[in-house]
Amino acid sequence: MRDSRVHPQRRRVLLGSAGAAAASWLGLPALGAPTQDDQLDVHIELHAVPDEVSIRPGKRTRVWRYRGKLLRGDASALEASAGGYLGPVIRVRRGQRVRIDLINGLPESTIVHWHGLHVSEAMDGHPRFAIGPGRRYRYAFTVNNRAGSYWFHPHPHGRTGKQVYAGLAGLFIVSDEEEDALDLPRGAQDLPLVIQDRNFGADNQFDYPGAERREGAQRSGGMMGGSMGGAMARMTGVLGDAILVNGSVDAQVDVERSAYRLRLLNASNMRTYKLAWSDRSPLTVIGTDGGLLGAAVERDYVMLAPAERIDLWVDFGRWEANTELALQSLSFESGMGMGSMMQGSTALADGAPFTVLQVWVGAGARTAATAPGRLSVLPPAQPRLAVNFDRPKVFDLTMGMMRWGINGNSFEMLEATPLETVQLDTQEIWEFRNEGRSGMMGMAMAHSMHVHGLQFRILGRFGDAYESIKDGLVDEGWKDTVLVMPGERMRILVRFEDHAGLFLYHCHMLEHEDAGLMRNYRVEA
Ligand code: C2O
Ligand code: CU
């Protein structure tokens, strides 16, 4: 028996299904008529709305969140997040035709990006498509990604950090036949874990620097408006000292003594995690950003930078009944240099150790579980097929005049340089260079580089290796986001298929993105 007096404020991360969102639909008028289009498999209305949720004892926390309403499709396509503020889990199958109507119930403009999905430019959530309060944006696309854990979040110009911090984020889980054929844990044993950090003010409200600034105020530059400390945090990145899993602080989860699939998403604005079991049992990694690996790999710990996903396979039967276990973030060298001194507002520095999730292994008998063997067909990356095999394109991550940039250029809504222009149906080698050690004021910071609209392969890391990090990198498999440490050069193989147009690539440390570390690339037909 557990002693509830020991953990008076224990909250459980919700396990398994929270029930179809349609059944728990709250208080919003249905704006859409039931879908007429027989070609559609799934039609969802996604409302971005202000709300209040109970996260800590005492006052409720004001949040912004996504609420979904299923207008067409199987009830399993939309699963409400019962606790916390996270958006509903959208579950679709590869090949399905999906329509999602974003309805902006917020007091400022927003747009949704489907992180990791391969969709056309009009469906990708570029900030130029942001819609004002009360407006609707209609997404319609065929899901052609592999099975995997993708996600969605806002992407308005200069305000992504603020809006994600306010609570806007959700998982977009794709399944397919290749995955169906495997004996992977399902249902309540398929457990998404969305990890975030927040600062709470005295009245339990999220404390985001400069959140009160009016829309458009920051367009005049990173240092405008708010306090000096706030301006600095908006440039270096916002770290919180409270760790939340699925929207809950001090998260706890009860598990059976059987096999689970844990889908980890780092939806934090800035923080990178170094995840390990408290007893240092190895972790079995079965998937990354773009779905399943060819075969499982083992790590003593895994690094998870902002926006990265890692799928773990774990047999909780290997622990004794009634074991208390924790998923922790271990200490590591963040490479922040001067940056860490500028953080100011948080007690928990980047790279500091803490507990992420308490796990209680149940009292029941062990259910036999077979470790997954072969997982998927993962063709070898073929850099020789790149049109610039001999001359990788170099993208320097730069800092100047209190603005981040790439090759010295900060984000411009419609701009792409010749270097940032590529041809449809080609592959290229790109090299992200983080030579931050020589940056302004000696500020050396890691970056979490994301490319929209595609999945890439990692060809190699060059330069400084970080002892406290290197064994936890999972560079196998398909990726859309990758951690680039100061002093490191990262080579990736990108392929431009199906869709011409203007797409983003940027640092997913959201304050860096909002402060200019984002650019367009243009795919020419
Ligand atoms: Cu998840 Cu442009 O980002
Ligand atoms: Cu960055």
Side-chain angles (χ1 to χ4, degrees), residues 76-77 79 88-94 96 117 143 146-152 170-175 179 190-192 261 263 311:
S76 64
E79 184 185 293
V89 179
I90 298 176
R91 286 180 194 270
V92 297
R93 290 187 64 78
R94 185 175 196 174
Q96 280 191 322
L117 294 193
V143 178
R146 308 171 74 224
S149 313
Y150 307 92
W151 64 299
F152 58 98
L171 277 163
F172 191 101
I173 294 177
V174 178
S175 58
E179 186 189 70
D190 179 348
L191 182 62
R261 176 179 189 169
R263 298 176 189 257
D311 281 20

Side-chain angles (χ1 to χ4, degrees), residues 452-487:
H452 275 222
L454 51 80
Q455 295 288 327
F456 55 76
R457 299 292 289 275
I458 295 175
L459 298 177
R461 297 167 182 269
F462 308 91
D464 298 2
Y466 287 73
E467 277 307 313
S468 60
I469 286 174
K470 64 178 178 52
D471 294 336
L473 300 167
V474 184
D475 290 344
E476 294 89 348
W478 293 101
K479 296 283 293 170
D480 56 50
T481 309
V482 66
L483 178 65
V484 189
M485 295 298 290

Side-chain angles (χ1 to χ4, degrees), residues 32 45 96 125 133 158 190 264 278 284 291 294 305 340 412 443 457:
E45 229 175 54
Q96 280 191 322
D190 179 348
L264 308 177
S278 45
T284 304
S340 58
E412 291 293 341
M443 193 154 62
R457 299 292 289 275

Side-chain angles (χ1 to χ4, degrees), residues 446-447 507 509 512 517:
H447 298 290
C507 177
M509 292 173 179
H512 298 183
L517 217 171

Side-chain angles (χ1 to χ4, degrees), residues 9 100 113 144 182 212 244 379 447 509:
Q9 289 161 15
I100 302 174
H113 168 53
N144 77 351
L182 300 168
E212 68 290 341
L244 294 88
H447 298 290
M509 292 173 179

Side-chain angles (χ1 to χ4, degrees), residues 113-116 124-125 127 151-155 160 307 309 450-452 480-481 504-508 510 513 518:
H113 168 53
W114 311 98
H115 184 118
D124 188 54
W151 64 299
F152 58 98
H153 62 77
H155 223 304
T160 298
R309 285 86 70 206
H450 170 47
V451 184
H452 275 222
D480 56 50
T481 309
L504 298 168
Y505 69 107
H506 60 87
C507 177
H508 220 288
L510 299 180
E513 164 184 343
M518 174 159 81

Side-chain angles (χ1 to χ4, degrees), residues 49-50 62-66 85 106-108 162-163 166-168:
V49 291
R62 288 185 297 276
V63 299
W64 287 355
R65 70 188 307 185
Y66 293 118
Y85 49 81
L106 305 174
E108 62 184 44
K162 174 200 162 176
Q163 291 194 1
L168 292 165

